[in-house]
Amino acid sequence: MSNKATLNLDGKSFEFDIVTGSEDEKCVDISSLRSETGYITMDPGFGNTGSCFSSITYVDGTNGILQYRGYPIEEVAEKASFVEIAYLVLYGELPNEEQLREFSAGLKEHAPLHTNLEHHFSGFPKSAPPMAILSAMLNLVSCFHPEVLEVTSAGAEFERTATLLMSKVRTIAAFAYRMAAGKPINHPNPHLGYCGNFLHMMFSDPYQEYQVSPVVEKALNLFLILHADHEQNCSTSTVRVVGSSRANLFSSVAAGVCALWGPLHGGANAAVIAMLEDIRVSGKKPEHCIERAKDKNDPFRLMGFGHRVYKNFDPRSIILKKQVHKLLAELNIEDNLLDLALELEEATLKDDYFISRNLYPNVDFYSGILLRAIGIPLNMYSVMFAIGRMPGWIANWKELLDHKQRISRPRQIYTGKTKRPYVTLMER
Ligand code: ACO
């Protein structure tokens, strides 16, 4: 088989290399298209555009496969800790005992925030969305650690900075919640693990230390693993685009938080719960949502359904659905939003509109019910996603620099007015 693709344009023939990935995915390398032919390609939303070579995460949307550095999501979700997976995503291999000990020690060391940084939280209004606080505070951290602005993608300084960021995001997230809730902040407890410490900072009270339940800790660990990376999604691509100008790691991930915030991306987990609550409170049948989602004159979309890449079940939603059932049983919670979600899923899977468009539940469909069960407030759901996605963002920023990738700068086809002379105000 030829490893070239031929393109016929304006009576001439041009050849472009065909590149094959390690899982046999194929692409036509058109990087010389414009210089050779004068043409560009058009692909709004980048549905068919490869923007980089990456060895971090593999997704096969047709067959519902997700692998971090080659490890299937089903296996790591069952057996690993989030800290191990963060290390894997960042550095390419699972840590040995010593590496894990050192990485965990770094996460503990960097958990506290600089006292002056803490004061900034009180400057936000009570109504400030935690995603806005998170993005702002991530940029602010770099002002208190100016050395991180110079960090490149390799060596001990990078490792220290990556660990610092992984740790600080968790503390900032918990403090943002405490401030917004009008509660005093809880400083990190070095005796607790990554998830336990977060739960303590969120839920301990001055006179009553939160008792970290192993069941809840495990559920949070699983949630974070499932969000650790997902190749070139909207927020990760944003981190890469910002990083491609050689912007520092903190600004790049702060931009990632902003991209994640939208309801079509990481904001969907909270939107799913809002949608289910609306069904519950209004007493409408789930079919009402389905009819609205199908109506092209109604901007409403069925939240937690559909995916750019998965045209089959999102493997993360299958894992989450099972986990949610298990967790509710273990915690002895009855949540009628789960019943509504199951009803809604069943009805969509029989509906021609959803079948013909390959719309299945995505990661956000069941994750909100898990977060609800462990007591996370609704306005923190996307923040939880951001904590989980941090290793993926950092790893992609690192890879971009390691590959010395060019600055991101797409082209356009101009559709505005053609050249015309200026008309003075008097003449208009
Ligand atoms: N409800 C109703 N119709 C939908 C939905 C939905 N949730 N998702 C897609 N469609 C329809 C579109 O209207 C379109 O129909 P058409 O062919 O008749 O015009 C068709 O399915 C294809 O959809 P696109 O919008 O082209 O798909 P795209 O890949 O651009 O969007 C997205 C993917 C944003 C996830 C979309 O499915 C969606 O909006 N889902 C709801 C929001 C959501 O759950 N987001 C979380 C995604 S996972 C994540 O980011 C972590």
Side-chain angles (χ1 to χ4, degrees):
M1 200 177 72
S2 160
N3 56 356
K4 298 271 183 201
T6 307
L7 177 69
N8 294 315
L9 271 179
D10 302 332
K12 286 192 199 142
S13 180
F14 302 91
E15 286 203 323
F16 298 97
D17 287 341
I18 291 179
V19 180
T20 306
S22 51
E23 291 278 0
D24 211 29
E25 332 89 274
K26 299 211 173 355
C27 85
V28 180
D29 179 352
I30 51 114
S31 47
S32 62
L33 178 73
R34 190 172 169 279
S35 59
E36 285 190 41
T37 68
Y39 282 69
I40 63 164
T41 53
M42 180 54 67
D43 183 21
F46 311 132
N48 291 295
T49 299
S51 61
C52 61
F53 292 95
S54 180
S55 56
I56 305 169
T57 290
Y58 172 66
V59 178
D60 171 349
T62 312
N63 297 306
I65 294 172
L66 167 60
Q67 293 165 3
Y68 296 154
R69 305 281 191 184
Y71 294 104
I73 191 68
E74 294 77 7
E75 285 185 38
V76 295
E78 193 188 325
K79 298 175 184 160
S81 75
F82 174 62
V83 173
E84 265 182 291
I85 294 308
Y87 187 98
L88 170 73
V89 168
L90 285 171
Y91 301 114
E93 294 298 338
L94 287 165
N96 61 29
E97 261 182 55
E98 194 190 331
Q99 288 163 331
L100 186 60
R101 205 178 318 116
E102 264 181 40
F103 188 47
S104 304
L107 292 171
K108 282 187 180 159
E109 180 196 332
H110 294 299
L113 298 184
H114 192 289
T115 319
N116 290 346
L117 190 56
E118 277 182 18
H119 295 322
H120 282 269
F121 282 93
S122 53
F124 289 102
K126 282 253 164 13
S127 56
M131 283 297 262
I133 300 180
L134 182 64
S135 175
M137 295 304 281
L138 283 171
N139 254 320
L140 205 52
V141 172
S142 64
C143 306
F144 289 84
H145 299 270
E147 72 285 0
V148 303
L149 298 176
E150 305 302 325
V151 163
T152 55
S153 60
E157 269 312 297
F158 170 79
E159 287 172 25
R160 181 184 169 277
T161 306
T163 313
L164 182 143
L165 187 46
M166 284 274 314
S167 191
K168 299 277 188 240
V169 68
R170 168 188 58 168
T171 311
I172 294 171
F175 284 14
Y177 161 68
R178 299 291 296 180
M179 287 292 185
K183 297 178 177 185
I185 55 173
N186 294 311
H187 289 106
N189 176 348
H191 303 295
L192 295 171
Y194 193 88
C195 294
N197 212 345
F198 175 73
L199 291 165
H200 147 70
M201 287 190 276
M202 285 284 290
F203 301 126
S204 280
D205 280 315
Y207 303 108
Q208 197 173 10
E209 180 96 353
Y210 175 81
Q211 293 305 307
V212 179
S213 134
V215 172
V216 170
E217 199 174 5
K218 210 169 155 221
L220 178 57
N221 180 66
L222 177 100
F223 172 92
L224 296 178
I225 289 177
L226 295 181
H227 289 78
D229 192 42
H230 208 249
E231 52 120 302
Q232 303 313 313
N233 55 83
C234 176
S235 56
T236 303
S237 296
T238 300
V239 171
R240 278 189 177 253
V241 168
V242 176
S244 78
S245 74
R246 305 301 180 256
N248 72 78
L249 178 58
F250 286 74
S251 311
S252 303
V253 299
V257 170
C258 295
L260 185 72
W261 193 355
L264 298 190
H265 190 17
N269 53 14
V272 169
I273 296 299
M275 176 180 78
L276 295 173
E277 278 286 11
D278 187 51
I279 300 176
R280 188 173 66 84
V281 172
S282 67
K284 288 178 196 139
K285 299 292 289 172
E287 283 74 9
H288 172 75
C289 280
I290 295 179
E291 290 313 314
R292 278 194 68 190
K294 286 158 56 173
D295 180 356
K296 294 292 176 196
N297 296 317
D298 187 333
F300 177 80
R301 282 195 161 196
L302 204 59
M303 300 315 286
F305 269 77
H307 199 275
R308 173 62 61 79
V309 181
Y310 293 118
K311 299 301 165 201
N312 200 321
F313 272 94
D314 177 339
R316 299 167 301 177
S317 78
I318 299 175
I319 298 169
L320 275 165
K321 185 176 173 182
K322 264 195 224 146
Q323 180 61 34
V324 159
H325 279 292
K326 200 164 157 243
L327 180 68
L328 294 189
E330 280 170 341
L331 295 177
N332 210 9
I333 294 178
E334 275 186 29
D335 187 347
N336 52 12
L337 291 197
L338 176 60
D339 303 328
L340 286 177
L342 293 168
E343 239 185 276
L344 192 57
E345 181 187 350
E346 200 185 330
T348 50
L349 295 179
K350 287 186 204 140
D351 191 294
D352 274 351
Y353 174 97
F354 289 86
I355 296 170
S356 62
R357 288 169 180 76
N358 299 312
L359 302 171
Y360 290 89
N362 58 47
V363 67
D364 292 314
F365 192 62
Y366 287 105
S367 63
I369 298 177
L370 179 140
L371 293 175
R372 235 166 102 83
I374 64 177
I376 307 289
L378 193 66
N379 65 351
M380 286 291 289
Y381 287 11
S382 309
V383 171
M384 301 305 295
F385 193 146
I387 300 175
R389 186 53 53 86
M390 196 51 74
W393 287 338
I394 303 173
N396 273 275
W397 183 90
K398 172 177 167 48
E399 192 174 69
L400 169 98
L401 265 68
D402 285 344
H403 290 182
K404 300 187 175 51
Q405 200 167 318
R406 296 171 81 192
I407 188 166
S408 294
R409 205 312 185 179
R411 295 271 176 171
Q412 64 165 22
I413 293 294
Y414 175 68
T415 58
K417 299 265 192 268
T418 52
K419 188 178 175 187
R420 49 183 174 160
Y422 174 72
V423 184
T424 63
L425 191 56
M426 299 284 282
E427 292 165 324
R428 268 175 254 156

